[in-house]
Amino acid sequence: MFASVIIDQDVKALNKVFEYLVPDGIDVQVGARVCVPFGQRTLQGFVIALKENCDYDAAKIKKIYGVMDDFALIKGELIKLMGFMCDEFHLRQTSVLRLLVPSEIREGKVKELFEKYAVLGDYDLQSLSRAKKQQQIIQKLQTEQRMLISDIKQQFGESAVKALIDKNFIVVEKQKINRTPLWLGRDDKAVTLNAQQLNAIETIQGNKTFLLHGVTGSGKTEVYMHLISRALENGKSAIMLVPEISLTPQVVSLFRARFGEKIALLHSSLSAGERFDEWRRIFSGEAQVVVGARSAIFAPCENVGIIIIDEEHEQSYISEANPRYNSQEVAAFRARFNGCPLVLGSATPSIDDYQRAMDGEIQLVEMPVRANGRPLPKIQIIDMMNELRAGNSGIFSTQLLCDLAKVINQKKQAMIFINRRGYSSFMMCRECGYVAKCNDCDVSLVYHREDNRLKCHYCGKQYKVLDVCPNCGSARIKQGAVGTEKIVSELKNLFPDVKILRMDNDTTSKKNAHQKLLQEFASTKPAILVGTQMIAKGHDFEDVTLVGIIDADQSLYRADYRSAERCFQLITQVSGRAGRSVSEGKVDLQTYSPRHYVYKFAANYDYKSFFKKEANIRKTAAFPPFSKIIRILFCHSDENVVKDELKSCYNKLLKVREKHFDDIIYMDAMKSPIKRIKNLYRYQVIIRMRLENSRAIENEIYDCTLDALKSSVFFEVNPENMS
Ligand code: ADP
Ligand code: ZN
Ligand code: ZN
């Protein structure tokens, strides 16, 4: 028997399948972790296939040393998924391996955790030492039966315990402990499903993909939970993906209350021990419901009965770091493999997916009204040009200030949304136009007043603030567009007695800081929460009656064909935070382009008209989903290396274009919009092509990149981020 093995090292040179002989007497399964000779070394690898014959000279082939675990770490379905991902996303097997088996498991650094308990052993009371502490311990154990060793040590000292163990008065019992992520106790409140929820649950069956389009507050979560219950009743498991940011203890606890110990949680802020234990619980089948962020789609569960992706339009489901993949496509693969439904839920579906529903590729299920019957908050568009004309050049419109004052009077809460953290976006010299930039990245620095520093939002580097312009010496330094910090400081001046909280990457970097902030907000009235995207998702605060959107245009005017879509999604999400309970909600949307179609449709919650308009624009201009965009990004610390490799790739691409002249609409090589990040130069080729034949052409294009061995090369289809 021969085994095809991939070596557990993520380097280009080892991106091959190596063949080994399986010696008699060693029982190897596909997916098993094995120890193999490699050159002079012994390395860890994974068996991805077994076969009777081998193409190589059987006499020369090396033998597997041994199998490292009692069971195969990668299950059959995930081995197949590995093959799919390598083809679909042009990835290395060794990179995919890192997604399928987390490092905590692979590297063997994390172990199972045991607690040690003391129970009384076989002892002869006569021989008990007269030592007082030892006697006390025995007495205590006689009443308690079983105690934590660590507790006894703490109370009576280590030496006494040790002496008793040595003489067998105490026997130590080990008990495995699961390190479980934090959650809040919460009661499961039973609700009677309404007609639109019942309809959704009835419809979502079989092995299709469903787009669940439900307005914010329509009760999608309850639908998800019923679908999961149904899978469990049929003896199957379930996977639900949620954006990392909405994995709040509130949401997690809701699921805990319903599914108890059957839930496992996978997301990036688990400790290594927690991730290890949760993964093992899923692997063994002890936990059948996996809730988590993007990477939870690789959970090693078997017999999956339902896969749900909540907020399916979210960018975070696409991995933009190596390995780059789209979790929705991974989910679709797993749903096909298991013959189960895949549910994509959103109040603002991506244009791509809604178009697929219109084309009949996936099935649309609609939930058009809020579960509690409350109306969606009224969105008022505020023309900031008018404010300027009326002499108000501040951040806040008169209307917003007026509404804030009302909220405060009524002891309610408000949220102020701004798409930028920090104090101001950049520092610029008024005399010569100099803008402070990061040394390692080609981006402007952002002023953070709290620590009085300039920070690079791409690499985290910090700089001293500018007193004078390094270019011309002028002291006339101007701050650019405002960020969260600046808003907070202005609000504190305007409303000195009101609690004003800030939530962004800077205030939530510590573990659990996010949830502490939310708890503080929840318990304070009146209060204003200022934040970035982070406040837009999933929070359910009953007393938020006002949402202010400062400078909505910021997400609209970006050099990205999806900016209108993103802007519509943001407004809808943020607005969904207001008036969720008995008090009616309102949204003040400040803009300099009040007549833009995005605002018009967003203010009426008219997704369908927005979709129609947007799809039309993209069709006319031949942008996705009516075409495919490929970006090939080259990065290297030496600019000449990137340029050379880009050029030779481009020359090959020219031939591909010649061959497919009718299908390739656009192709160009250029510096990336951000031409350096973390000291790596970035150059890219952008290609846009028609959909017919695009899969075959994509592969030809990919082949052109394979000779670029020095640069890091990233190959992306319809990239979310072109910077
Ligand atoms: P969505 O995820 O669609 O934005 P949620 O699932 O958060 O909406 O539901 C919004 C609110 O409606 C929640 O407080 C939820 O408990 C409540 N809810 C859901 N279903 C029902 C129902 N059938 N009857 C009454 N309230 C419901
Ligand atoms: Zn200057
Ligand atoms: Zn930087």
Side-chain angles (χ1 to χ4, degrees):
M1 182 94 83
F2 298 91
S4 309
V5 172
I6 54 169
I7 302 296
D8 186 8
Q9 307 254 333
D10 195 12
V11 286
K12 262 187 205 175
L14 291 186
N15 184 34
K16 282 189 205 123
V17 179
F18 298 91
E19 306 288 334
Y20 286 90
L21 180 71
V22 181
D24 288 339
I26 294 191
D27 180 22
V28 175
Q29 288 176 321
V30 173
R33 178 161 61 152
V34 290
C35 236
V36 292
F38 196 85
Q40 301 300 317
R41 295 188 289 169
T42 301
L43 294 177
Q44 169 173 313
F46 285 83
V47 176
I48 58 164
L50 287 170
K51 43 196 184 180
E52 289 303 328
N53 301 304
C54 171
D55 303 337
Y56 300 95
D57 181 357
K60 284 190 192 151
I61 205 160
K62 291 184 181 167
K63 286 182 196 153
I64 284 181
Y65 284 151
V67 182
M68 298 172 68
D69 314 270
D70 301 338
F71 40 79
L73 278 186
I74 312 177
K75 294 181 175 173
E77 178 188 350
L78 297 182
I79 290 274
K80 293 222 165 63
L81 175 63
M82 181 186 273
F84 168 79
M85 288 182 70
C86 291
D87 288 348
E88 191 66 24
F89 308 121
H90 309 285
L91 296 174
R92 298 202 278 269
Q93 276 151 325
T94 45
S95 311
V96 177
L97 171 67
R98 291 175 148 57
L99 300 168
L100 300 183
V101 189
S103 61
E104 287 80 11
I105 304 284
R106 264 189 0 257
E107 290 167 6
K109 286 183 195 136
V110 184
K111 297 267 175 321
E112 289 178 310
L113 181 69
F114 291 95
E115 267 178 352
K116 288 187 195 154
Y117 285 89
V119 293
L120 290 170
D122 262 344
Y123 60 92
D124 173 9
L125 265 184
Q126 308 299 309
S127 62
L128 182 60
S129 145
R130 305 189 71 95
K132 197 160 176 208
K133 285 200 174 145
Q134 294 188 27
Q135 297 204 341
Q136 285 173 334
I137 295 175
I138 295 296
Q139 267 170 19
K140 187 123 194 213
L141 261 180
Q142 278 169 336
T143 40
E144 306 248 327
Q145 303 286 330
R146 192 165 183 269
M147 288 175 74
L148 265 177
I149 297 264
S150 55
D151 284 353
I152 309 180
K153 281 184 178 165
Q154 215 182 2
Q155 287 176 44
F156 303 99
E158 248 176 79
S159 54
V161 180
K162 191 166 176 300
L164 287 170
I165 293 174
D166 286 347
K167 285 182 276 179
N168 214 24
F169 282 104
I170 286 181
V171 176
V172 179
E173 282 182 2
K174 273 168 114 187
Q175 185 181 335
K176 184 169 180 302
I177 300 299
N178 276 328
R179 285 153 287 196
T180 2
L182 180 76
W183 59 288
L184 312 167
R186 175 165 176 165
D187 291 334
D188 190 11
K189 62 172 181 195
V191 297
T192 318
L193 296 178
N194 59 34
Q196 67 179 11
Q197 287 169 321
L198 285 170
N199 169 59
I201 292 162
E202 189 59 31
T203 313
I204 297 172
Q205 305 216 40
N207 54 2
K208 285 198 285 188
T209 300
F210 298 87
L211 179 60
L212 179 61
H213 179 206
V215 296
T216 51
S218 58
K220 293 190 286 297
T221 315
E222 199 60 46
V223 170
Y224 300 151
M225 290 202 282
H226 271 79
L227 293 172
I228 293 171
S229 296
R230 191 167 68 194
L232 291 177
E233 279 159 23
N234 293 331
K236 299 189 174 182
S237 60
I239 302 176
M240 175 161 139
L241 303 189
V242 195
E244 184 93 43
I245 229 170
S246 1
L247 267 175
T248 57
Q250 283 80 358
V251 172
V252 174
S253 310
L254 192 67
F255 279 80
R256 254 322 155 158
R258 185 80 47 103
F259 300 108
E261 295 293 310
K262 291 199 180 101
I263 285 264
L265 198 61
L266 288 178
H267 61 81
S268 67
S269 46
L270 296 185
S271 69
E274 286 168 351
R275 186 165 310 115
F276 181 90
D277 286 348
E278 292 292 78
W279 195 87
R280 295 281 296 251
R281 286 177 60 232
I282 301 165
F283 191 94
S284 69
E286 190 186 325
Q288 293 121 35
V289 183
V290 180
V291 177
R294 181 172 72 211
S295 61
I297 197 58
F298 302 110
C301 29
E302 284 171 279
N303 202 1
V304 182
I306 183 102
I307 304 179
I308 296 161
I309 304 185
D310 189 29
E311 311 280 6
E312 64 91 28
H313 60 276
E314 272 288 309
Q315 244 168 306
S316 61
Y317 288 125
I318 293 169
S319 159
E320 293 192 309
N322 198 29
R324 298 182 178 219
Y325 64 90
N326 179 340
S327 27
Q328 191 177 311
E329 286 176 49
V330 177
F333 175 91
R334 296 198 72 174
R336 274 198 304 278
F337 185 93
N338 289 283
C340 74
L342 167 62
V343 181
L344 311 173
S346 177
T348 51
S350 72
I351 298 286
D352 292 24
D353 287 322
Y354 206 82
Q355 183 62 44
R356 285 167 68 212
M358 295 297 102
D359 292 342
E361 248 178 76
I362 61 179
Q363 188 174 340
L364 184 65
V365 181
E366 295 179 298
M367 301 205 339
V369 293
R370 276 189 160 181
N372 58 9
R374 296 261 119 215
L376 288 158
K378 179 178 159 31
I379 301 181
Q380 181 176 357
I381 298 174
I382 297 166
D383 183 352
M384 291 306 279
M385 287 306 276
N386 267 345
E387 296 288 313
L388 269 181
R389 276 179 225 120
N392 173 12
S393 59
I395 303 172
F396 306 107
S397 59
T398 344
Q399 180 69 53
L400 180 52
L401 286 178
C402 189
D403 289 336
L404 276 172
K406 221 186 278 170
V407 166
I408 290 160
N409 267 335
Q410 293 169 345
K411 300 242 180 313
K412 298 283 185 190
Q413 299 178 309
M415 285 186 178
I416 302 285
F417 172 79
I418 169 93
N419 210 354
R420 185 186 288 118
R421 66 197 166 100
Y423 195 78
S424 63
S425 69
F426 54 86
M427 279 197 136
M428 187 172 118
C429 170
R430 281 179 198 268
E431 299 291 336
C432 74
Y434 170 89
V435 173
K437 284 192 168 179
C438 176
N439 291 335
D440 296 342
C441 314
D442 182 43
V443 294
S444 2
L445 298 170
V446 179
Y447 177 50
H448 287 245
R449 198 171 69 162
E450 215 150 68
D451 22 36
N452 198 34
R453 304 283 274 176
L454 293 172
K455 290 185 193 171
C456 171
H457 282 191
Y458 282 82
C459 73
K461 243 191 183 172
Q462 306 195 3
Y463 299 81
K464 265 177 53 188
V465 294
L466 297 182
D467 301 321
V468 293
C469 171
N471 191 37
C472 74
S474 161
R476 297 188 59 208
I477 306 289
K478 170 190 156 184
Q479 290 167 358
V482 297
T484 44
E485 248 190 84
K486 167 97 175 175
I487 304 252
V488 168
S489 87
E490 296 244 330
L491 285 173
K492 279 185 174 158
N493 286 337
L494 289 161
F495 306 104
D497 304 327
V498 178
K499 183 101 196 167
I500 296 167
L501 298 154
R502 170 162 71 98
M503 187 154 110
D504 56 26
N505 272 341
D506 298 311
T507 59
T508 55
S509 53
K510 291 205 195 83
K511 193 173 177 175
N512 299 332
H514 191 195
Q515 135 219 359
K516 272 191 206 134
L517 251 168
L518 291 176
Q519 268 164 14
E520 190 177 358
F521 181 59
S523 61
T524 319
K525 271 146 227 170
I528 305 176
L529 177 64
V530 177
T532 54
Q533 261 104 308
M534 271 187 195
I535 65 170
K537 312 266 153 60
H539 312 305
D540 205 347
F541 295 109
E542 294 189 345
D543 286 306
V544 172
T545 53
L546 176 68
V547 167
I549 304 176
I550 309 290
D551 199 2
D553 309 341
Q554 229 172 71
S555 51
L556 187 54
Y557 296 117
R558 293 210 324 231
D560 175 355
Y561 71 92
R562 274 190 261 240
S563 56
E565 176 180 353
R566 295 269 169 254
C567 184
F568 186 92
Q569 284 161 354
L570 254 178
I571 295 170
T572 312
Q573 296 289 329
V574 185
S575 305
R577 301 310 116 220
R580 292 179 74 88
S581 188
V582 277
S583 331
E584 206 165 307
K586 188 189 171 198
V587 179
D588 286 338
L589 186 155
Q590 301 190 165
T591 166
Y592 290 90
S593 324
R595 270 163 292 279
H596 196 286
Y597 68 91
V598 168
Y599 299 136
K600 203 177 84 190
F601 294 131
N604 293 323
Y605 297 96
D606 189 356
Y607 176 83
K608 283 184 187 165
S609 300
F610 169 72
F611 168 79
K612 245 184 173 161
K613 171 97 185 170
E614 185 64 21
N616 223 329
I617 291 174
R618 299 221 198 146
K619 200 169 197 166
T620 314
F623 270 96
F626 306 99
S627 68
K628 191 186 253 189
I629 294 179
I630 289 178
R631 169 168 86 153
I632 313 166
L633 174 67
F634 294 75
C635 306
H636 196 273
S637 56
D638 181 341
E639 191 166 12
N640 289 322
V641 169
V642 212
K643 274 179 159 169
D644 285 350
E645 294 201 325
L646 176 97
K647 200 162 173 200
S648 86
C649 170
Y650 192 73
N651 286 335
K652 290 181 204 126
L653 286 171
L654 286 173
K655 296 199 187 90
V656 177
R657 183 172 66 177
E658 216 165 282
K659 190 169 146 204
H660 301 285
F661 201 78
D662 293 334
D663 290 319
I664 295 182
I665 311 165
Y666 170 93
M667 184 170 103
D668 205 1
M670 65 198 83
K671 284 181 186 167
S672 299
I674 299 178
K675 70 171 189 285
R676 206 156 49 110
I677 293 182
K678 294 185 188 165
N679 240 340
L680 297 177
Y681 287 89
R682 297 150 52 84
Y683 280 73
Q684 62 191 26
V685 182
I686 302 233
I687 302 165
R688 191 148 50 90
M689 59 183 156
R690 294 188 203 291
L691 291 179
E692 303 80 43
N693 316 319
S694 66
R695 186 65 233 201
I697 302 174
E698 182 185 323
N699 289 338
E700 283 180 49
I701 292 173
Y702 178 70
D703 289 341
C704 297
T705 67
L706 294 175
D707 293 333
L709 292 174
K710 291 187 196 135
S711 312
S712 309
V713 182
F714 301 102
F715 188 95
E716 296 166 301
V717 178
N718 296 345
E720 288 293 317
N721 182 346
M722 305 263 248
S723 56

